Amino acid sequence: MISRHLHCSAQAAIPTRTHVLETSEQQASTHQRPISVIRKIRESLISRERTAVEITEGYLAKLQEREPHIRSFLHISAEKALLDAEEIDKLLSEGGGGELGLLAGVPLGVKDNLCTRDMPSTGGSQILKGYCPPYDATAVCKLREAGAVLVGKTNMDEFGMGSSTESSAYQVTSNPWDLSRVPGGSSGGSAAAVAAGQCAGALGSDTGGSIRQPASFCGIVGLKPSYGRVSRFGLMAYASSLDVVGCLGASVLDTAILLQVIAGHDKNDSTSSLEEVPDYAAQLLPVEGLSSKPLAGVKFGLIKETMDEEGVEEDVASAVKAAALHLQELGASVTEVSLPMFSLGLPAYYVLAPSEASSNLARYDGVRFGPRAHGEEVMSMFGNSRAEGFGPEVKRRILMGTYALSAGYYDAFYKRSQQVRTLIQRDFKAALQDVDVLLSPVAPSAAYKIGEKLDNPLSMYLGDLMTVNVNLAGLPSLVVPCGIAKGGTCGLPVGLQMIGPAFGEEVLLRLGHIFEQTLPMNFNAPLLTS
Amino acid sequence: MAMVSSRCFALALGAAAATLAGRWRPRSSARLPLLLPRCVQSEVRISNQKHARDGRGLPRRVLSKESQSSSSVVADNGLEYEAVIGIETHVQLGTATKAFCSCPSQYGAEPNAHVCPVCMGLPGALPVLNDKVVEYGVKLALALHSEIALTSKFDRKQYFYPDLPKGYQISQYDVPIASKGFIDVDLPVEFGGGHRCFGITRVHMEEDAGKLVHAGGERLSGSSSSQVDLNRAGVPLLEVVSEPEMRTGLEAAEYAAELQRLVRYLGISNGNMQEGSMRCDVNVSVRPKGRPQFGTKVEIKNMNSFSAMQRAIDFEIDRQVTLENEGLGHQIKQETRLWEEGSQRTISMRSKEGLADYRYFPEPDLPEVTLTQDYVDATQATLPELPNAKRRRYESLGLSMQDVLVLANDSDVAAFFDEVVGKGTDVKQAANWIMGDLSAWLKNEKLAITETKLTPAALAELIDLIKDGTISGKIGKEILPELLQNGVSAREAIEAKGLSQISDAAVIESMVDAIIAENPKQVAAYRGGKTKLQGFFVGQVMKVSSGRVNPALLNKILLSKLNC
């Protein structure tokens, strides 16, 4: 059914970024401003240029065509997606265009740790193999209410624990820029799928950088909202006090629209904020209408500690410096800002997150859902089910967390880390009183080779250095592609991290939009034709 | 929220499931490492012990061989031992819904009928605190005169067990909603009476676990398979921890009974021990009298009545003292023992040595519980008169302690009594009617006082009609069932049956005249000296008047007629 339409719609379904990228220099000379894929779909639906079914078929065709190379999806829901698209077309043909949701007919991917009632939800873990939740996560529910067409569940590091998506129990996802490299993680499936044009946008989750780092690795936009901005209900908990649901898109406007839909208080999540949800897209105006210095008066602070670190690769540092220069050209001021406690964030994170994880993952015991292993008595049944069900990285973190919370160790580890967390929050708060937005790289490097860090968990953890502090502080952060590093056949993307005050997503999106629209570079993953 | 299929989650483990029973089974929380300051009432307790000893030799409620109601035991080696008893009570709250989800919180439904992703601990589900749980917690805290924490928090208590869906219980650890309270207890008169005040260490909110149903056995041990029923998972509990200030099984049982009275007066729980709505875990140790250090404590579970509690504790004290006496004190192990109703003894269930590590940490899914003083004050204003205050008031009305304890035992009975007395009725008469004929009838009909049609006003009227001579006490007793069953007023009942007393002298005279005329022989005999025959004439008049004649007036008229 899908293949019937492959030829006629596959190319046309991708409204942007379909040309082959050869070199970054060439890219600059053929600059196309990133456009909102979501808005384009909406426009073509309203103008009746295309039907929702055609759009979905186009995406599904591309998804299927590229999936063997990228392996970004754990579950593809083609039939249901087409049925949902038909519903949108029906609504349109009945003249209900005015009631079209913000995401009507937009094919989206959903990270596999978000519960979906009509698709399996495994969290990338063997321990939930075949598990179909009886309910939709609130964020998923909101996508559906806005008319989104959910095409499938994206691959991820098991329960979000990992930075390369190699910890998935099911498959390794490739980076669309270089199939021998990782897409980042843990939302690597979502990032790779968006970068490869397999869907128009995707939901991810971010506990220590899991949206931002893969967005940077795959050359797309990733938004980690403030803690509490989006309901966590239905998100399989990794570290409850750090987890946020966020979005990945081809442009800042796309992530703004996605956030618009999923943000807001939820009575099912006591930690979701009552803070009002502004109209995020309203201020993302076409760049043509802006003055030559649209960022005049805006103060950026480049976090010194993220640039001085020996571990930051030169290409990444220079891409971020170039981005800072570009912001200055747009009229903004960029100063260097020091966050003295910065380096304490990573160790604190690797105490707090595993501690909470050890508790959150206790429910996977083989009693009520998931595969149950045999045991001679109930405790060995628990043990065997968990031994067989969890992968090595998850086990490592459960062990670390269990240790940190044990009697006699609690004060030295958990309590001390909470104190560090408070200090880090204060650092950010103080810095954000002097500047509007903080800047930093997203990760020390661009995408690395599959398998490169698999045997060295510590070096993998070090890669989270620039992102975990933002989770500890609960702040919003937007990642926008800003440069190209050496590597692969035609370079590897590097993202710029913009960190704002709590519930300051509106500012981040507005500044990020201007940056993205004015940066004379394209970030299109090389077309996969092999 | 989606309901999940209502089946049990079967755990087919084979016969080897046995080993689980030998492991810890945490239901009550372990004693906290931090010792909260003792309440001021502990002083009172020490001086009260004398009263308890004075009670020795008085009749005991339970006169089994093991029974031990005095506060100290003289062992054969001449050492005088005393028991130290502390109680952890779980009170299941009568909220409409569970603590952290909107499932009904009811007892006795089909297994797994009241479950949802939250109380089943499904991936991604989050708890949302039921405000009623906090309200009830504050009410009990106030009733226990505790210090209320305006900011408290929830923590996770972690352990693996098949009936614990999340692998942790949401509870309160280092910052409970209330601490440092006390409870006033009046011991039964038949045990020598006396007043006690026991310290309350803390009150905290938590959720219950589910229930395991074992095939082929009462316990996981030895059963071929087990099933999990999660109806009870997430039901709200208040755990009340006492100071170790009780010294006898009787004191412990009365402490628990008073706690039950409190939760019932407050309307926050039915306090039913048989259904498990109120569960007491008792810690018992013994020590030579005068020694400040505690002995090794043993936890006793599985007592489903106050009398079972008393017997279990007295058995356990006796067992421990006997071991000490035999020089086998080292055999008293820190363990959990089960009370076996059948054999009337405690049996070892599992060792508590090597304390379980629950790895408590703050529950990140729930914000802190913050209360305003205004809220606490407003809640205080809604509290009813509580049992101890009621007992003190009844005492001041001049009622005997026996009557006081009976009337104040049940808040409905007390409320009824208060209303009757509120009509200006004689206090002693009101108490007698309620504790006598009324409660006998209720017991016979198996009804509660709130289930009859008798209003307090009707009982007050009945008592008044007897007092003013409209009817006799005997007639009053006769018409009571009419009042109870049909809800008529006493006056209506009397009039409908023509039962009002005849106090009209002229009417009585004519009746007497008629009887004298009808019985000339007896009149002659009386006048001849057989004055005992007066009773015969009274009987005759009562017979024709259906007992309605005012007896005093009748005697007066009769004598004047016969003696003329």
Side-chain angles (χ1 to χ4, degrees):
Chain A
M1 183 184 169
I2 292 159
S3 59
R4 202 154 42 90
H5 301 279
L6 246 180
H7 309 291
C8 59
S9 57
Q11 292 303 312
I14 308 296
T16 185
R17 298 184 172 182
T18 49
H19 65 280
V20 180
L21 179 111
E22 281 162 4
T23 66
S24 52
E25 286 76 21
Q26 188 193 350
Q27 218 180 3
S29 63
T30 59
H31 177 239
Q32 280 186 340
R33 285 191 184 119
I35 64 150
S36 167
V37 178
I38 293 171
R39 188 152 280 180
K40 178 110 188 194
I41 289 172
R42 187 179 187 80
E43 281 161 7
S44 58
L45 281 179
I46 289 171
S47 68
R48 302 295 196 274
E49 186 190 328
R50 298 157 60 78
T51 66
V53 168
E54 284 169 352
I55 291 164
T56 300
E57 281 171 345
Y59 269 100
L60 286 172
K62 182 161 269 189
L63 191 161
Q64 304 279 15
E65 175 204 329
R66 296 179 174 185
E67 187 55 18
H69 311 286
I70 312 281
R71 295 178 301 276
S72 47
F73 282 85
L74 290 177
H75 176 83
I76 299 164
S77 180
E79 275 183 38
K80 176 72 168 43
L82 287 167
L83 286 174
D84 290 346
E86 271 176 35
E87 287 296 313
I88 299 293
D89 285 335
K90 219 169 111 190
L91 194 70
L92 277 163
S93 69
E94 286 163 3
E99 300 157 27
L100 271 192
L102 272 180
L103 297 173
V106 177
L108 298 174
V110 173
K111 191 177 180 181
D112 204 36
N113 58 354
L114 285 156
C115 289
T116 45
R117 68 158 80 225
D118 55 359
M119 292 183 265
S121 306
T122 70
S125 181
Q126 193 66 35
I127 211 159
L128 282 178
K129 190 175 183 159
Y131 172 68
C132 273
Y135 73 106
D136 273 335
T138 299
V140 170
C141 204
K142 288 187 165 195
L143 291 186
R144 291 194 206 270
E145 283 166 7
V149 172
L150 306 184
V151 294
K153 303 298 288 287
T154 58
N155 194 23
M156 58 182 286
D157 286 299
E158 185 176 3
F159 291 118
M161 300 180 195
S163 312
S164 65
T165 313
E166 292 166 286
S167 292
S168 166
Y170 299 99
Q171 63 201 35
V172 173
T173 297
S174 286
N175 190 317
W177 288 70
D178 177 351
L179 297 181
S180 69
R181 289 176 190 267
V182 301
S186 66
S187 309
S190 286
V194 172
Q198 291 179 300
C199 50
L203 290 190
S205 68
D206 191 315
T207 306
S210 284
I211 286 173
R212 291 162 287 161
Q213 183 253 25
S216 176
F217 279 18
C218 293
I220 60 164
V221 179
L223 174 62
K224 175 233 173 270
S226 309
Y227 185 77
R229 178 71 294 178
V230 180
S231 169
R232 292 185 293 117
F233 189 72
L235 170 70
M236 294 171 189
Y238 160 18
S240 314
S241 74
L242 303 164
D243 293 341
V244 286
V245 177
C247 31
L248 301 104
S251 66
V252 173
L253 184 50
D254 283 337
T255 59
I257 296 168
L258 288 170
L259 180 65
Q260 191 76 52
V261 170
I262 62 175
H265 178 69
D266 176 11
K267 64 176 173 53
N268 289 325
D269 177 2
S270 312
T271 63
S272 67
S273 173
L274 289 161
E275 186 90 16
E276 206 177 313
V277 179
D279 185 347
Y280 294 116
Q283 292 195 54
L284 309 194
L285 306 170
V287 76
E288 291 82 2
L290 298 174
S291 69
S292 63
K293 301 281 183 199
L295 298 185
V298 179
K299 290 184 279 183
F300 287 94
L302 183 56
I303 302 173
K304 180 169 162 276
E305 288 75 12
T306 63
M307 301 297 285
D308 285 354
E309 285 296 324
E310 279 182 12
V312 182
E313 284 180 11
E314 203 186 314
D315 281 5
V316 173
S318 55
V320 170
K321 282 175 194 159
L325 215 59
H326 178 66
L327 288 169
Q328 284 173 318
E329 282 166 13
L330 295 171
S333 75
V334 182
T335 53
E336 202 175 61
V337 170
S338 174
L339 298 176
M341 301 295 164
F342 200 87
S343 65
L344 299 179
L346 193 70
Y349 173 85
Y350 274 101
V351 170
L352 295 175
S355 293
E356 293 186 23
S358 72
S359 176
N360 285 329
L361 270 57
R363 68 188 60 197
Y364 303 103
D365 57 7
V367 175
R368 286 146 296 130
F369 43 77
R372 180 187 301 167
H374 177 76
E376 286 303 311
E377 40 81 43
V378 78
M379 286 296 160
S380 63
M381 182 280 279
F382 286 161
N384 294 343
S385 297
R386 291 165 68 79
E388 289 173 22
F390 290 137
E393 185 56 35
V394 168
K395 284 177 188 165
R396 188 153 37 233
R397 296 195 196 192
I398 289 174
L399 287 172
M400 290 196 291
T402 304
Y403 182 81
L405 290 178
S406 295
Y409 298 94
Y410 180 88
D411 286 357
F413 294 108
Y414 186 85
K415 202 170 163 191
R416 175 61 65 91
S417 299
Q418 286 289 24
Q419 290 164 343
V420 168
R421 183 175 188 170
T422 305
L423 294 177
I424 284 169
Q425 285 166 346
R426 281 189 204 153
D427 261 10
F428 270 116
K429 202 165 185 186
L432 284 166
Q433 268 162 2
D434 297 334
V435 298
D436 300 308
V437 169
L438 291 163
L439 301 174
S440 86
V442 183
S445 72
Y448 41 84
K449 291 275 190 185
I450 290 169
E452 192 181 321
K453 297 194 177 184
L454 211 50
D455 297 330
N456 190 349
L458 274 183
S459 87
M460 186 91 84
Y461 296 170
L462 274 174
D464 301 335
L465 184 72
M466 289 138 185
T467 45
V468 293
N469 290 36
V470 177
N471 297 78
L472 291 173
L475 303 178
S477 170
L478 179 70
V479 166
V480 186
C482 74
I484 300 286
K486 287 186 287 291
T489 49
C490 44
L492 298 167
V494 173
L496 171 70
Q497 176 168 225
M498 304 169 81
I499 304 160
F503 302 102
E505 286 85 354
E506 203 177 359
V507 178
L508 291 182
L509 289 164
R510 189 171 64 82
L511 301 179
H513 172 74
I514 293 169
F515 174 82
E516 161 203 81
Q517 294 295 317
T518 54
L519 191 71
M521 295 177 87
N522 285 340
F523 296 93
N524 298 321
L527 196 62
L528 302 151
T529 47
S530 54
Chain B
M1 189 165 301
M3 288 303 227
V4 185
S5 67
S6 61
R7 65 187 170 86
C8 281
F9 311 96
L11 288 171
L13 298 163
T19 39
L20 184 84
R23 306 207 175 197
W24 48 269
R25 174 67 218 284
R27 170 56 49 72
S28 65
S29 60
R31 190 154 289 278
L32 289 172
L34 66 162
L35 274 174
L36 293 161
R38 286 159 64 88
C39 79
V40 281
Q41 280 66 37
S42 54
E43 314 285 332
V44 180
R45 183 263 307 159
I46 291 162
S47 62
N48 275 342
Q49 277 182 52
K50 210 162 120 283
H51 297 283
R53 278 200 298 279
D54 292 343
R56 280 172 80 183
L58 283 164
R60 288 174 187 159
R61 179 154 53 188
V62 186
L63 290 171
S64 65
K65 258 187 184 170
E66 300 83 4
S67 180
Q68 188 55 258
S69 284
S70 64
S71 70
S72 60
V73 184
V74 181
D76 297 350
N77 59 12
L79 266 177
E80 198 182 354
Y81 284 90
E82 74 169 357
V84 175
I85 303 160
I87 302 179
E88 290 164 8
T89 310
H90 287 88
V91 177
Q92 187 177 309
L93 298 180
T95 52
T97 55
K98 292 185 180 182
F100 301 111
C101 64
S102 50
C103 286
S105 183
Q106 281 160 12
Y107 178 79
E110 281 287 298
N112 297 313
H114 297 160
V115 295
C116 73
V118 177
C119 56
M120 283 175 71
L122 293 191
L126 296 171
V128 176
L129 177 61
N130 180 349
D131 290 346
K132 274 278 173 207
V133 178
V134 179
E135 182 193 320
Y136 287 5
V138 170
K139 280 184 171 173
L140 184 57
L142 288 168
L144 292 169
H145 317 279
S146 339
E147 289 176 16
I148 292 174
L150 293 182
T151 302
S152 69
K153 68 180 175 73
F154 283 100
D155 300 276
R156 292 184 182 177
K157 176 181 178 176
Q158 310 190 67
Y159 62 91
F160 284 98
Y161 206 73
D163 65 7
L164 190 70
K166 298 185 293 295
Y168 56 83
Q169 177 193 28
I170 302 178
S171 182
Q172 295 194 291
Y173 181 50
D174 51 349
V175 193
I177 191 160
S179 53
K180 290 186 240 172
F182 63 88
I183 188 167
D184 287 295
V185 174
D186 287 296
L187 298 181
V189 178
E190 64 270 29
F191 290 88
H195 185 82
R196 297 285 187 282
C197 179
F198 300 118
I200 300 292
T201 312
R202 56 185 273 151
V203 179
H204 72 248
M205 306 178 276
E206 62 183 26
E207 60 177 339
D208 210 342
K211 204 169 84 179
L212 294 184
V213 183
H214 307 296
E218 273 187 21
R219 297 161 65 179
L220 197 48
S221 162
S223 57
S224 55
S225 73
S226 298
Q227 293 178 303
V228 187
D229 175 7
L230 294 177
N231 282 347
R232 204 179 63 184
V235 164
L237 303 175
L238 287 177
E239 181 173 328
V240 182
V241 181
S242 83
E243 287 290 300
E245 295 182 345
M246 284 141 276
R247 294 291 173 267
T248 66
L250 173 71
E251 287 185 355
E254 290 304 323
Y255 161 86
E258 183 68 8
L259 197 54
Q260 183 191 58
R261 232 169 264 131
L262 269 186
V263 301
R264 287 180 173 174
Y265 265 63
L266 292 169
I268 62 173
S269 169
N270 66 25
N272 191 322
M273 283 184 97
Q274 279 79 37
E275 285 176 11
S277 305
M278 188 169 135
R279 304 189 283 268
C280 294
D281 299 337
V282 181
N283 285 301
V284 179
S285 63
V286 298
R287 63 180 173 191
K289 218 164 160 39
R291 194 183 74 180
Q293 300 93 340
F294 294 149
T296 304
K297 76 177 179 206
V298 168
E299 185 186 46
I300 321 173
K301 286 176 180 284
N302 200 36
M303 298 147 294
N304 60 9
S305 69
F306 299 130
S307 96
M309 255 180 95
Q310 187 176 349
R311 280 176 280 135
I313 292 167
D314 288 340
F315 173 88
E316 184 59 25
I317 294 171
D318 205 50
R319 188 185 73 86
Q320 293 184 19
V321 169
T322 304
L323 283 171
E324 291 286 359
N325 188 22
E326 290 166 356
L328 299 172
H330 60 277
Q331 285 188 9
I332 302 170
K333 294 263 165 33
Q334 193 165 340
E335 62 178 348
T336 298
R337 296 179 72 88
L338 282 185
W339 172 247
E340 272 197 348
E341 195 63 48
S343 63
Q344 293 285 301
R345 50 189 289 123
T346 63
I347 55 155
S348 184
M349 181 189 171
R350 60 163 182 263
S351 170
K352 272 196 145 185
E353 282 167 322
L355 209 62
D357 182 357
Y358 294 119
R359 287 174 287 117
Y360 281 100
F361 80 106
E363 166 58 278
D365 289 331
L366 291 168
E368 285 180 329
V369 180
T370 52
L371 306 170
T372 61
Q373 192 57 48
D374 285 350
Y375 173 82
V376 175
D377 294 344
T379 308
Q380 175 87 61
T382 67
L383 296 189
E385 184 183 35
L386 294 170
N388 190 52
K390 207 162 271 272
R391 290 195 299 264
R392 298 290 80 81
R393 186 163 62 79
Y394 288 175
E395 260 186 317
S396 72
L397 292 177
L399 291 172
S400 73
M401 198 57 198
Q402 183 73 48
D403 291 357
V404 167
L405 291 178
V406 173
L407 288 171
N409 184 51
D410 182 301
S411 61
D412 290 332
V413 172
F416 195 96
F417 170 74
D418 285 341
E419 267 203 67
V420 175
V421 172
K423 305 282 175 197
T425 314
D426 181 82
V427 170
K428 183 64 190 166
Q429 283 303 318
N432 286 347
W433 275 93
I434 290 171
M435 294 187 302
D437 289 70
L438 178 50
S439 65
W441 186 85
L442 291 172
K443 198 175 172 190
N444 198 38
E445 300 286 320
K446 294 191 171 65
L447 289 175
I449 198 159
T450 48
E451 292 169 317
T452 77
K453 290 188 174 168
L454 175 75
T455 62
L459 181 61
E461 187 189 41
L462 180 69
I463 293 169
D464 289 347
L465 287 172
I466 294 168
K467 200 173 184 188
D468 70 14
T470 309
I471 56 168
S472 65
K474 186 163 170 284
I475 297 276
K477 285 175 192 287
E478 276 171 30
I479 63 165
L480 182 66
E482 176 77 7
L483 270 60
L484 284 160
Q485 277 161 356
N486 303 327
V488 295
S489 77
R491 204 172 287 281
E492 281 165 353
I494 291 161
E495 278 167 15
K497 293 190 169 182
L499 288 175
S500 63
Q501 195 156 288
I502 301 165
S503 299
D504 184 331
V507 175
I508 297 172
E509 252 185 72
S510 68
M511 286 171 137
V512 170
D513 288 344
I515 294 297
I516 286 175
E518 282 165 23
N519 299 286
K521 274 187 196 169
Q522 282 81 358
V523 173
Y526 178 89
R527 287 180 177 153
K530 277 199 163 182
T531 53
K532 275 185 182 168
L533 279 169
Q534 185 191 339
F536 166 77
F537 294 107
V538 169
Q540 291 302 306
V541 174
M542 283 300 181
K543 198 173 169 187
V544 297
S545 70
S546 309
R548 290 165 57 214
V549 173
N550 183 324
L553 204 51
L554 171 61
N555 275 323
K556 195 180 153 207
I557 293 168
L558 186 64
L559 288 178
S560 69
K561 294 269 180 191
L562 288 172
N563 296 337
C564 67

